[in-house]
Amino acid sequence: MRESLVAAAFQLFVERGYEQTTVDDIVALAGVGRRSFFRYFPSKEDVVFPDHEGCLTRMTAFLDESGPGHEPVERVCDAARLVLRMYAENPAFSVQRYRLTRKVPGLRTYELSVVWRYERALADYLRGRFSGRPDGTLRADVIAAAVVAAHNNGLRSWLRSDGRGDASAEVDHALAHVLGIFGPERATDGPTRGPGAGGDDDVVVVVSRRGAPLWRVVQELETTLGRDPA
Amino acid sequence: MRESLVAAAFQLFVERGYEQTTVDDIVALAGVGRRSFFRYFPSKEDVVFPDHEGCLTRMTAFLDESGPGHEPVERVCDAARLVLRMYAENPAFSVQRYRLTRKVPGLRTYELSVVWRYERALADYLRGRFSGRPDGTLRADVIAAAVVAAHNNGLRSWLRSDGRGDASAEVDHALAHVLGIFGPERATDGPTRGPGAGGDDDVVVVVSRRGAPLWRVVQELETTLGRDPA
Protein backbone atom coordinates (compact mmCIF):
# COMPACT_ATOMS: atom_id res chain seq x y z
CA MET A 1 0.00 0.00 0.00
CA ARG A 2 2.69 2.46 1.06
CA GLU A 3 4.92 1.45 -1.87
CA SER A 4 2.09 1.66 -4.38
CA LEU A 5 1.22 5.18 -3.17
CA VAL A 6 4.85 6.25 -3.65
CA ALA A 7 4.96 4.64 -7.10
CA ALA A 8 1.70 6.29 -8.18
CA ALA A 9 2.84 9.65 -6.85
CA PHE A 10 6.15 9.55 -8.73
CA GLN A 11 4.51 8.40 -11.94
CA LEU A 12 2.24 11.46 -11.80
CA PHE A 13 5.00 13.85 -10.69
CA VAL A 14 7.03 12.85 -13.73
CA GLU A 15 4.06 12.93 -16.15
CA ARG A 16 2.33 16.12 -14.97
CA GLY A 17 4.75 17.86 -12.67
CA TYR A 18 4.72 17.98 -8.89
CA GLU A 19 2.62 21.10 -8.45
CA GLN A 20 0.00 19.88 -10.91
CA THR A 21 -0.51 16.60 -9.07
CA THR A 22 -3.02 16.48 -6.20
CA VAL A 23 -3.37 13.90 -3.46
CA ASP A 24 -6.70 12.99 -5.09
CA ASP A 25 -4.87 12.19 -8.33
CA ILE A 26 -2.43 9.98 -6.45
CA VAL A 27 -5.04 7.98 -4.57
CA ALA A 28 -7.13 7.58 -7.74
CA LEU A 29 -4.17 6.06 -9.59
CA ALA A 30 -3.22 3.88 -6.63
CA GLY A 31 -6.84 2.79 -6.25
CA VAL A 32 -7.13 3.67 -2.55
CA GLY A 33 -8.95 6.30 -0.52
CA ARG A 34 -7.63 9.65 0.72
CA ARG A 35 -7.62 8.40 4.31
CA SER A 36 -5.17 5.66 3.36
CA PHE A 37 -2.81 8.25 1.91
CA PHE A 38 -2.83 10.37 5.04
CA ARG A 39 -2.35 7.32 7.23
CA TYR A 40 1.11 6.97 5.69
CA PHE A 41 2.01 10.53 4.75
CA PRO A 42 1.14 13.74 6.57
CA SER A 43 1.35 15.73 3.32
CA LYS A 44 2.12 15.50 -0.39
CA GLU A 45 5.71 16.56 0.33
CA ASP A 46 6.23 13.57 2.62
CA VAL A 47 5.52 11.08 -0.15
CA VAL A 48 8.60 12.43 -1.95
CA PHE A 49 10.83 11.43 0.97
CA PRO A 50 9.22 8.25 2.26
CA ASP A 51 12.36 6.77 3.85
CA HIS A 52 13.98 9.62 5.74
CA GLU A 53 12.07 9.11 8.99
CA GLY A 54 13.14 5.48 9.08
CA CYS A 55 16.70 6.40 8.25
CA LEU A 56 16.80 9.04 11.00
CA THR A 57 15.57 6.43 13.45
CA ARG A 58 18.28 3.99 12.33
CA MET A 59 20.94 6.70 12.58
CA THR A 60 19.93 7.70 16.08
CA ALA A 61 19.88 4.05 17.19
CA PHE A 62 23.30 3.47 15.61
CA LEU A 63 24.78 6.46 17.44
CA ASP A 64 23.09 5.46 20.71
CA GLU A 65 24.76 2.04 20.46
CA SER A 66 28.22 3.61 20.27
CA GLY A 67 30.76 2.72 22.91
CA PRO A 68 33.65 4.69 24.33
CA GLY A 69 36.02 2.74 22.10
CA HIS A 70 34.52 4.15 18.91
CA GLU A 71 36.57 6.96 17.46
CA PRO A 72 33.94 9.73 17.33
CA VAL A 73 34.68 11.18 13.87
CA GLU A 74 34.81 7.73 12.29
CA ARG A 75 31.55 6.92 14.02
CA VAL A 76 29.67 9.88 12.57
CA CYS A 77 31.10 9.06 9.12
CA ASP A 78 29.68 5.55 9.49
CA ALA A 79 26.36 7.02 10.61
CA ALA A 80 26.31 9.23 7.51
CA ARG A 81 26.82 6.12 5.36
CA LEU A 82 23.38 4.91 6.50
CA VAL A 83 21.90 7.78 4.48
CA LEU A 84 23.98 6.85 1.47
CA ARG A 85 22.83 3.24 1.73
CA MET A 86 19.18 4.35 1.63
CA TYR A 87 19.82 6.28 -1.60
CA ALA A 88 21.98 3.57 -3.16
CA GLU A 89 19.39 0.86 -2.52
CA ASN A 90 17.12 2.31 -5.17
CA PRO A 91 19.17 4.30 -7.71
CA ALA A 92 16.36 4.93 -10.22
CA PHE A 93 14.03 6.32 -7.54
CA SER A 94 16.82 8.41 -5.97
CA VAL A 95 17.79 9.97 -9.31
CA GLN A 96 14.15 10.72 -10.16
CA ARG A 97 13.68 12.39 -6.79
CA TYR A 98 16.92 14.34 -7.15
CA ARG A 99 15.68 15.83 -10.43
CA LEU A 100 12.29 16.61 -8.91
CA THR A 101 13.86 18.30 -5.87
CA ARG A 102 15.99 20.54 -8.12
CA LYS A 103 12.85 21.80 -9.85
CA VAL A 104 10.45 22.34 -6.93
CA PRO A 105 11.61 24.94 -4.36
CA GLY A 106 9.20 23.63 -1.71
CA LEU A 107 10.78 20.18 -1.93
CA ARG A 108 14.26 21.66 -1.76
CA THR A 109 13.25 23.38 1.49
CA TYR A 110 11.76 20.16 2.82
CA GLU A 111 14.99 18.36 2.02
CA LEU A 112 17.02 21.02 3.82
CA SER A 113 15.01 20.42 6.97
CA VAL A 114 15.68 16.67 6.70
CA VAL A 115 19.40 17.25 6.20
CA TRP A 116 19.37 19.56 9.19
CA ARG A 117 17.90 16.78 11.35
CA TYR A 118 20.64 14.36 10.27
CA GLU A 119 23.24 17.01 11.05
CA ARG A 120 21.74 17.63 14.50
CA ALA A 121 21.80 13.89 15.25
CA LEU A 122 25.51 13.74 14.39
CA ALA A 123 26.29 16.96 16.28
CA ASP A 124 24.40 15.80 19.39
CA TYR A 125 26.41 12.59 19.47
CA LEU A 126 29.70 14.46 19.04
CA ARG A 127 28.73 17.01 21.70
CA GLY A 128 28.30 14.14 24.11
CA ARG A 129 31.66 12.67 23.18
CA PHE A 130 33.45 16.03 23.39
CA SER A 131 31.71 17.23 26.53
CA GLY A 132 34.08 18.79 29.00
CA ARG A 133 36.62 19.55 26.29
CA PRO A 134 37.39 23.18 25.49
CA ASP A 135 35.28 24.20 22.51
CA GLY A 136 33.60 20.79 22.59
CA THR A 137 30.23 21.96 21.23
CA LEU A 138 31.90 24.16 18.64
CA ARG A 139 34.08 21.31 17.44
CA ALA A 140 31.07 18.97 17.41
CA ASP A 141 29.00 21.37 15.29
CA VAL A 142 31.84 22.02 12.85
CA ILE A 143 32.63 18.32 12.36
CA ALA A 144 28.95 17.38 11.94
CA ALA A 145 28.55 20.09 9.28
CA ALA A 146 31.74 19.00 7.52
CA VAL A 147 30.67 15.34 7.48
CA VAL A 148 27.23 16.20 6.08
CA ALA A 149 28.74 18.51 3.44
CA ALA A 150 31.24 15.86 2.36
CA HIS A 151 28.59 13.11 2.29
CA ASN A 152 26.28 15.28 0.21
CA ASN A 153 29.09 16.28 -2.14
CA GLY A 154 29.75 12.60 -2.88
CA LEU A 155 26.07 11.69 -3.02
CA ARG A 156 25.18 14.55 -5.41
CA SER A 157 28.07 13.70 -7.65
CA TRP A 158 26.65 10.19 -7.96
CA LEU A 159 23.07 11.46 -8.46
CA ARG A 160 24.23 13.85 -11.18
CA SER A 161 25.78 10.90 -12.99
CA ASP A 162 22.23 9.45 -13.06
CA GLY A 163 23.10 6.83 -10.49
CA ARG A 164 25.79 5.25 -12.66
CA GLY A 165 29.10 4.61 -11.03
CA ASP A 166 29.84 3.64 -7.49
CA ALA A 167 27.97 5.70 -4.90
CA SER A 168 29.89 4.16 -2.01
CA ALA A 169 33.24 4.96 -3.59
CA GLU A 170 32.25 8.61 -4.10
CA VAL A 171 31.03 9.01 -0.53
CA ASP A 172 33.94 7.03 0.96
CA HIS A 173 36.38 9.32 -0.81
CA ALA A 174 34.59 12.42 0.48
CA LEU A 175 34.40 11.10 4.05
CA ALA A 176 38.08 10.11 3.95
CA HIS A 177 38.81 13.76 3.16
CA VAL A 178 36.99 14.83 6.33
CA LEU A 179 38.63 12.08 8.39
CA GLY A 180 42.00 13.31 7.14
CA ILE A 181 41.20 16.72 8.57
CA PHE A 182 39.43 15.85 11.81
CA GLY A 183 40.24 12.22 12.35
CA PRO A 184 42.28 10.74 15.18
CA GLU A 185 45.62 11.26 13.48
CA ARG A 186 45.46 15.02 13.32
CA ALA A 187 45.72 17.46 16.20
CA THR A 188 44.14 20.77 15.30
CA ASP A 189 43.13 22.40 18.51
CA GLY A 190 46.27 23.36 20.36
CA PRO A 191 49.62 24.93 19.67
CA THR A 192 51.53 21.81 20.68
CA ARG A 193 50.03 18.46 21.39
CA GLY A 194 50.73 14.81 21.50
CA PRO A 195 48.06 12.14 21.28
CA GLY A 196 46.59 10.75 24.45
CA ALA A 197 47.51 7.10 24.20
CA GLY A 198 50.89 6.19 22.84
CA GLY A 199 51.34 3.33 20.41
CA ASP A 200 54.05 3.40 17.80
CA ASP A 201 51.51 4.24 15.12
CA ASP A 202 50.37 7.38 16.89
CA VAL A 203 51.19 10.62 15.23
CA VAL A 204 52.86 13.52 16.96
CA VAL A 205 52.05 17.00 15.76
CA VAL A 206 54.24 19.90 16.69
CA VAL A 207 53.25 23.38 15.68
CA SER A 208 55.83 26.06 16.14
CA ARG A 209 56.53 29.59 15.00
CA ARG A 210 59.04 29.59 12.20
CA GLY A 211 61.10 32.16 14.16
CA ALA A 212 61.48 29.87 17.19
CA PRO A 213 65.00 28.52 17.67
CA LEU A 214 65.21 24.88 16.71
CA TRP A 215 66.44 23.79 20.16
CA ARG A 216 63.14 25.07 21.59
CA VAL A 217 61.24 23.00 19.07
CA VAL A 218 63.32 19.92 19.89
CA GLN A 219 62.74 20.52 23.61
CA GLU A 220 59.02 20.65 22.91
CA LEU A 221 59.24 17.43 20.95
CA GLU A 222 61.11 15.70 23.77
CA THR A 223 58.49 16.77 26.28
CA THR A 224 55.70 15.56 24.02
CA LEU A 225 57.37 12.25 23.33
CA GLY A 226 58.53 11.85 26.91
CA ARG A 227 61.97 10.59 26.01
CA ASP A 228 65.51 11.66 25.07
CA PRO A 229 66.62 12.29 21.50
CA ALA A 230 67.39 9.00 19.79
CA MET B 1 6.79 52.05 5.93
CA ARG B 2 8.89 48.86 5.71
CA GLU B 3 10.18 49.32 9.27
CA SER B 4 6.72 50.08 10.66
CA LEU B 5 5.35 46.91 9.06
CA VAL B 6 8.13 44.86 10.66
CA ALA B 7 7.53 46.56 14.04
CA ALA B 8 3.77 45.97 13.87
CA ALA B 9 4.28 42.34 12.84
CA PHE B 10 6.65 41.57 15.72
CA GLN B 11 4.42 43.34 18.24
CA LEU B 12 1.57 41.04 17.19
CA PHE B 13 3.73 37.90 16.96
CA VAL B 14 4.81 38.44 20.57
CA GLU B 15 1.32 39.33 21.83
CA ARG B 16 -0.75 36.71 19.99
CA GLY B 17 1.70 34.25 18.53
CA TYR B 18 2.90 33.95 14.97
CA GLU B 19 0.26 31.56 13.68
CA GLN B 20 -2.58 33.59 15.18
CA THR B 21 -1.47 36.79 13.44
CA THR B 22 -2.71 37.47 9.91
CA VAL B 23 -1.36 39.90 7.33
CA ASP B 24 -4.63 41.81 7.80
CA ASP B 25 -3.86 42.22 11.50
CA ILE B 26 -0.40 43.53 10.67
CA VAL B 27 -1.52 46.09 8.12
CA ALA B 28 -4.34 47.24 10.41
CA LEU B 29 -1.88 47.93 13.21
CA ALA B 30 0.61 49.60 10.88
CA GLY B 31 -2.20 51.66 9.36
CA VAL B 32 -1.48 50.71 5.76
CA GLY B 33 -3.21 48.61 3.07
CA ARG B 34 -2.56 44.97 2.18
CA ARG B 35 -0.99 45.98 -1.14
CA SER B 36 1.69 47.94 0.72
CA PHE B 37 2.57 44.85 2.76
CA PHE B 38 3.00 42.67 -0.30
CA ARG B 39 5.03 45.35 -2.05
CA TYR B 40 7.72 44.76 0.58
CA PHE B 41 7.19 41.15 1.59
CA PRO B 42 6.09 38.23 -0.58
CA SER B 43 4.62 36.45 2.46
CA LYS B 44 4.13 36.63 6.21
CA GLU B 45 7.28 34.58 6.68
CA ASP B 46 9.38 37.16 4.86
CA VAL B 47 8.52 39.89 7.35
CA VAL B 48 10.29 37.81 10.03
CA PHE B 49 13.57 37.96 8.07
CA PRO B 50 13.47 41.40 6.49
CA ASP B 51 17.24 41.86 6.13
CA HIS B 52 18.53 38.57 4.75
CA GLU B 53 18.05 39.42 1.06
CA GLY B 54 20.07 42.61 1.52
CA CYS B 55 22.72 40.73 3.47
CA LEU B 56 22.99 38.05 0.78
CA THR B 57 23.46 40.77 -1.81
CA ARG B 58 26.21 42.40 0.28
CA MET B 59 27.89 39.03 0.82
CA THR B 60 27.89 38.18 -2.88
CA ALA B 61 29.26 41.64 -3.75
CA PHE B 62 31.95 41.29 -1.07
CA LEU B 63 33.05 37.92 -2.45
CA ASP B 64 32.93 39.19 -6.04
CA GLU B 65 35.31 42.00 -5.07
CA SER B 66 37.90 39.53 -3.77
CA GLY B 67 41.32 39.54 -5.35
CA PRO B 68 43.84 36.76 -5.80
CA GLY B 69 45.76 38.08 -2.78
CA HIS B 70 42.92 37.30 -0.38
CA GLU B 71 43.48 34.10 1.53
CA PRO B 72 40.29 32.19 0.61
CA VAL B 73 39.37 30.78 4.05
CA GLU B 74 39.93 34.14 5.73
CA ARG B 75 37.84 35.74 3.05
CA VAL B 76 34.82 33.50 3.63
CA CYS B 77 35.16 34.07 7.38
CA ASP B 78 35.01 37.81 6.74
CA ALA B 79 32.00 37.28 4.48
CA ALA B 80 30.27 35.34 7.27
CA ARG B 81 30.89 38.27 9.60
CA LEU B 82 28.53 40.35 7.44
CA VAL B 83 25.71 38.13 8.69
CA LEU B 84 26.81 38.59 12.27
CA ARG B 85 26.90 42.36 11.82
CA MET B 86 23.29 42.34 10.63
CA TYR B 87 22.23 40.45 13.78
CA ALA B 88 24.39 42.52 16.12
CA GLU B 89 23.08 45.84 14.79
CA ASN B 90 19.74 45.23 16.44
CA PRO B 91 20.15 42.86 19.42
CA ALA B 92 16.60 43.19 20.79
CA PHE B 93 15.03 42.39 17.43
CA SER B 94 17.45 39.52 16.78
CA VAL B 95 16.75 37.91 20.15
CA GLN B 96 12.99 38.26 19.68
CA ARG B 97 13.23 36.64 16.27
CA TYR B 98 15.45 33.86 17.61
CA ARG B 99 12.79 32.97 20.20
CA LEU B 100 10.06 33.09 17.58
CA THR B 101 12.02 30.88 15.18
CA ARG B 102 12.52 28.25 17.91
CA LYS B 103 8.77 28.03 18.39
CA VAL B 104 7.44 28.03 14.82
CA PRO B 105 8.60 25.10 12.65
CA GLY B 106 7.71 26.91 9.43
CA LEU B 107 10.04 29.76 10.34
CA ARG B 108 12.79 27.36 11.27
CA THR B 109 12.50 25.82 7.79
CA TYR B 110 12.52 29.26 6.20
CA GLU B 111 15.67 30.10 8.14
CA LEU B 112 17.35 26.88 6.99
CA SER B 113 16.78 27.87 3.39
CA VAL B 114 18.35 31.28 4.05
CA VAL B 115 21.36 29.69 5.76
CA TRP B 116 21.69 27.34 2.81
CA ARG B 117 21.88 30.30 0.42
CA TYR B 118 24.66 31.88 2.50
CA GLU B 119 26.50 28.58 2.51
CA ARG B 120 26.15 28.23 -1.28
CA ALA B 121 27.53 31.76 -1.77
CA LEU B 122 30.60 30.90 0.31
CA ALA B 123 31.03 27.50 -1.37
CA ASP B 124 30.72 28.99 -4.87
CA TYR B 125 33.46 31.50 -4.10
CA LEU B 126 35.73 28.78 -2.67
CA ARG B 127 35.03 26.47 -5.64
CA GLY B 128 36.29 29.24 -7.88
CA ARG B 129 39.41 29.73 -5.79
CA PHE B 130 40.13 26.01 -5.55
CA SER B 131 39.30 25.18 -9.16
CA GLY B 132 41.82 22.88 -10.75
CA ARG B 133 42.95 21.59 -7.36
CA PRO B 134 42.35 17.94 -6.55
CA ASP B 135 39.15 17.70 -4.52
CA GLY B 136 38.62 21.44 -5.00
CA THR B 137 34.82 21.34 -4.92
CA LEU B 138 34.81 18.89 -2.04
CA ARG B 139 37.17 21.06 -0.02
CA ALA B 140 35.12 24.15 -0.90
CA ASP B 141 31.87 22.56 0.26
CA VAL B 142 33.40 21.27 3.49
CA ILE B 143 34.99 24.60 4.40
CA ALA B 144 31.82 26.55 3.59
CA ALA B 145 29.80 24.22 5.82
CA ALA B 146 32.36 24.45 8.62
CA VAL B 147 32.43 28.26 8.47
CA VAL B 148 28.63 28.47 8.56
CA ALA B 149 28.43 25.98 11.45
CA ALA B 150 31.06 27.87 13.44
CA HIS B 151 29.45 31.23 12.75
CA ASN B 152 26.06 29.92 13.81
CA ASN B 153 27.50 28.30 16.93
CA GLY B 154 28.89 31.67 18.02
CA LEU B 155 25.80 33.58 16.97
CA ARG B 156 23.39 31.23 18.75
CA SER B 157 25.46 31.32 21.89
CA TRP B 158 25.09 35.12 21.88
CA LEU B 159 21.36 34.93 21.07
CA ARG B 160 20.78 32.46 23.90
CA SER B 161 22.41 34.93 26.28
CA ASP B 162 19.62 37.33 25.22
CA GLY B 163 22.01 39.46 23.23
CA ARG B 164 24.12 40.33 26.26
CA GLY B 165 27.83 39.91 25.89
CA ASP B 166 29.96 40.45 22.84
CA ALA B 167 28.56 38.87 19.68
CA SER B 168 31.71 39.65 17.69
CA ALA B 169 33.94 38.02 20.27
CA GLU B 170 31.83 34.83 20.22
CA VAL B 171 31.85 34.62 16.44
CA ASP B 172 35.52 35.61 16.13
CA HIS B 173 36.45 32.82 18.50
CA ALA B 174 34.40 30.29 16.52
CA LEU B 175 35.82 31.43 13.18
CA ALA B 176 39.37 31.34 14.57
CA HIS B 177 38.71 27.68 15.38
CA VAL B 178 37.85 27.02 11.72
CA LEU B 179 40.79 29.10 10.49
CA GLY B 180 43.03 27.05 12.76
CA ILE B 181 41.83 23.92 10.97
CA PHE B 182 41.62 25.09 7.36
CA GLY B 183 43.50 28.36 7.32
CA PRO B 184 46.88 29.04 5.72
CA GLU B 185 48.83 28.35 8.87
CA ARG B 186 47.88 24.70 9.18
CA ALA B 187 48.83 21.89 6.92
CA THR B 188 46.04 19.40 6.57
CA ASP B 189 46.69 17.84 3.25
CA GLY B 190 50.14 16.34 3.52
CA PRO B 191 52.25 14.47 6.03
CA THR B 192 54.91 17.16 6.32
CA ARG B 193 54.70 20.67 5.11
CA GLY B 194 56.11 24.12 5.68
CA PRO B 195 54.27 27.32 4.77
CA GLY B 196 54.89 28.89 1.42
CA ALA B 197 56.28 32.29 2.33
CA GLY B 198 58.59 32.56 5.26
CA GLY B 199 58.25 35.37 7.77
CA ASP B 200 59.15 34.94 11.43
CA ASP B 201 55.47 34.73 12.35
CA ASP B 202 54.85 31.79 10.07
CA VAL B 203 54.03 28.53 11.70
CA VAL B 204 55.74 25.28 10.91
CA VAL B 205 53.76 22.09 11.24
CA VAL B 206 55.50 18.78 11.43
CA VAL B 207 53.47 15.61 11.57
CA SER B 208 55.37 12.47 12.40
CA ARG B 209 54.67 8.96 13.57
CA ARG B 210 55.32 8.63 17.28
CA GLY B 211 57.55 5.65 16.58
CA ALA B 212 59.88 7.67 14.36
CA PRO B 213 63.31 8.29 15.89
CA LEU B 214 63.68 11.87 17.06
CA TRP B 215 66.69 12.52 14.80
CA ARG B 216 64.43 11.83 11.81
CA VAL B 217 61.94 14.36 13.09
CA VAL B 218 64.70 16.92 13.65
CA GLN B 219 66.03 16.26 10.15
CA GLU B 220 62.55 16.83 8.78
CA LEU B 221 62.32 20.07 10.73
CA GLU B 222 65.68 21.26 9.41
CA THR B 223 64.64 20.54 5.85
CA THR B 224 61.37 22.37 6.34
CA LEU B 225 63.01 25.35 8.00
CA GLY B 226 65.90 25.31 5.57
CA ARG B 227 68.58 25.91 8.18
CA ASP B 228 70.83 24.24 10.73
CA PRO B 229 69.84 23.65 14.35
CA ALA B 230 70.26 26.86 16.39
Side-chain angles (χ1 to χ4, degrees):
Chain A
M1 169 80 88
R2 198 169 181 276
E3 283 69 31
S4 59
L5 281 165
V6 173
F10 270 81
Q11 184 183 325
L12 292 168
F13 293 161
V14 170
E15 282 172 17
R16 308 181 184 181
Y18 175 80
E19 304 289 4
Q20 289 72 42
T21 302
T22 65
V23 170
D24 284 329
D25 298 333
I26 297 168
V27 297
L29 182 61
V32 302
R34 274 178 73 85
R35 287 226 328 251
S36 303
F37 182 91
F38 290 109
R39 197 182 309 142
Y40 293 106
F41 305 107
S43 72
K44 190 173 79 170
E45 285 175 349
D46 293 282
V47 79
V48 180
F49 305 96
D51 304 322
H52 279 300
E53 284 302 327
C55 189
L56 263 161
T57 306
R58 285 194 297 280
M59 181 187 278
T60 308
F62 177 83
L63 292 169
D64 285 348
E65 283 160 15
S66 309
H70 287 111
E71 200 288 316
V73 186
E74 278 169 6
R75 191 71 176 166
V76 291
C77 286
D78 286 342
R81 286 190 180 91
L82 297 173
V83 181
L84 167 74
R85 198 174 306 159
M86 177 190 68
Y87 279 82
E89 264 170 11
N90 199 338
F93 178 68
S94 295
V95 168
Q96 212 172 46
R97 174 167 65 189
Y98 175 72
R99 291 194 196 130
L100 192 64
T101 311
R102 295 309 93 176
K103 276 189 283 190
V104 184
L107 294 180
R108 177 69 204 152
T109 308
Y110 186 102
E111 192 178 58
L112 287 173
S113 70
V114 173
V115 171
W116 179 73
R117 290 171 68 197
Y118 287 123
E119 188 172 319
R120 290 326 305 162
L122 302 183
D124 285 347
Y125 165 73
L126 290 172
R127 282 171 173 230
R129 291 297 304 267
F130 297 161
S131 77
R133 284 178 54 168
D135 288 328
T137 67
L138 174 59
R139 187 167 173 81
D141 289 0
V142 166
I143 292 176
V147 166
V148 167
H151 172 276
N152 288 349
N153 179 290
L155 176 64
R156 275 195 304 267
S157 158
W158 174 71
L159 289 169
R160 270 196 306 270
S161 78
D162 292 339
R164 284 187 286 267
D166 186 344
S168 290
E170 297 265 15
V171 168
D172 282 348
H173 175 78
L175 292 176
H177 179 83
V178 171
L179 267 171
I181 294 164
F182 295 104
E185 299 199 327
R186 301 287 164 125
T188 52
D189 51 356
T192 303
R193 187 184 154 210
D200 264 8
D201 275 347
D202 278 353
V203 163
V204 174
V205 178
V206 173
V207 180
S208 155
R209 299 229 164 263
R210 182 175 267 261
L214 191 54
W215 65 265
R216 285 271 299 125
V217 179
V218 173
Q219 204 175 51
E220 198 69 65
L221 265 170
E222 285 169 19
T223 312
T224 307
L225 294 164
R227 56 183 172 140
D228 295 330
Chain B
M1 169 81 87
R2 196 169 183 279
E3 283 69 32
S4 59
L5 281 165
V6 173
F10 270 81
Q11 184 183 326
L12 292 169
F13 294 161
V14 170
E15 283 173 17
R16 307 181 184 181
Y18 174 79
E19 304 289 3
Q20 290 72 43
T21 301
T22 65
V23 170
D24 284 329
D25 298 333
I26 297 168
V27 298
L29 183 61
V32 301
R34 272 177 76 86
R35 290 230 323 255
S36 304
F37 181 92
F38 289 109
R39 197 181 309 143
Y40 293 107
F41 306 107
S43 72
K44 190 173 80 170
E45 284 176 349
D46 294 282
V47 78
V48 180
F49 304 96
D51 303 322
H52 278 299
E53 284 302 328
C55 190
L56 264 161
T57 307
R58 283 194 297 281
M59 181 187 277
T60 309
F62 176 82
L63 292 170
D64 286 347
E65 284 160 15
S66 308
H70 286 111
E71 200 288 315
V73 186
E74 278 170 6
R75 191 70 175 168
V76 291
C77 286
D78 286 341
R81 285 191 181 91
L82 296 172
V83 181
L84 167 75
R85 197 175 305 160
M86 177 190 67
Y87 278 81
E89 264 170 9
N90 200 338
F93 177 69
S94 296
V95 169
Q96 213 172 45
R97 173 167 64 190
Y98 175 71
R99 291 194 196 131
L100 193 63
T101 311
R102 295 310 94 174
K103 274 188 287 190
V104 184
L107 295 180
R108 178 67 203 154
T109 308
Y110 185 103
E111 193 177 58
L112 287 174
S113 69
V114 173
V115 171
W116 180 74
R117 290 171 69 197
Y118 287 124
E119 191 172 316
R120 289 326 306 161
L122 302 183
D124 286 347
Y125 166 73
L126 291 172
R127 282 170 172 229
R129 291 298 303 270
F130 297 161
S131 77
R133 284 178 52 169
D135 288 329
T137 67
L138 174 59
R139 187 168 173 81
D141 288 0
V142 167
I143 293 176
V147 166
V148 167
H151 172 276
N152 288 350
N153 180 289
L155 176 64
R156 275 196 304 267
S157 157
W158 175 71
L159 289 168
R160 271 197 305 272
S161 78
D162 291 339
R164 284 186 285 267
D166 187 343
S168 290
E170 296 265 16
V171 169
D172 282 348
H173 175 78
L175 292 176
H177 180 83
V178 172
L179 267 171
I181 294 164
F182 296 102
E185 299 197 328
R186 300 286 166 126
T188 53
D189 49 357
T192 304
R193 188 184 153 205
D200 264 9
D201 276 347
D202 277 353
V203 163
V204 174
V205 180
V206 173
V207 180
S208 154
R209 298 228 167 265
R210 183 177 267 260
L214 190 55
W215 66 266
R216 284 272 299 125
V217 179
V218 172
Q219 203 175 50
E220 197 68 66
L221 264 171
E222 284 169 18
T223 312
T224 307
L225 294 164
R227 59 185 169 136
D228 295 330

